[in-house]
Amino acid sequence: QVQLVESGGGSVQAEGSLRLSCAASGFTYSTYYMGWFRQAPGKEREGVAVIDSGDSAIYADFVKGRFTISRDNAKNTLYLQMNSLKPEDTAMYFCAAGRVYWLRPEHFTYWGQGTQVTVSS
């Protein structure tokens, strides 16, 4: 059974930091592209960052220089380090696994339940 379980969300003031984690199981984690996506109320889900099986990653323009995606294939865990957070980063954050190296959510197959990030000004 495929499982993706996010953790690390919470409430933080603007310019603060959070580190999200996503524990994966039930599939061959190291062979999948892994991504972080987010969805704010009333908005479509959007790609934040995607990483390949190694260290190469792509980022949405709105998080470049602030967020860093990484993965530990030995621990089947995905991370998102978020620095210099802004109120507009407030959203539910999801991790996902897929076969396409792109930021579009429709290319991803497996999804977690999400973790809420709230940034206050």
Side-chain angles (χ1 to χ4, degrees), residues 103-117:
L103 287 167
R104 298 289 298 178
E106 57 264 35
H107 295 308
F108 284 73
T109 306
Y110 304 130
W111 290 86
Q113 294 299 306
T115 185
Q116 178 68 36
V117 171

Side-chain angles (χ1 to χ4, degrees), residues 16-66:
S17 298
L18 284 173
R19 188 192 195 204
L20 306 184
S21 298
C22 172
S25 61
F27 65 102
T28 310
Y29 173 80
S30 62
T31 67
Y32 276 74
Y33 297 112
M34 295 297 299
W36 287 100
F37 298 81
R38 71 185 189 185
Q39 188 167 19
K43 294 189 176 181
E44 292 187 353
R45 192 168 296 190
E46 60 185 359
V48 175
V50 172
I51 189 169
D52 70 4
S53 59
D55 295 329
S56 295
I58 51 176
Y59 293 90
D61 287 344
F62 52 78
V63 301
K64 282 181 180 177
R66 300 190 298 125

Side-chain angles (χ1 to χ4, degrees), residues 76-95:
N76 284 8
T77 303
L78 179 72
Y79 304 98
L80 184 68
Q81 178 66 45
M82 304 187 295
N83 299 327
S84 302
L85 282 159
K86 304 175 181 181
E88 51 264 43
D89 294 319
T90 295
M92 185 72 78
Y93 283 72
F94 301 87
C95 70

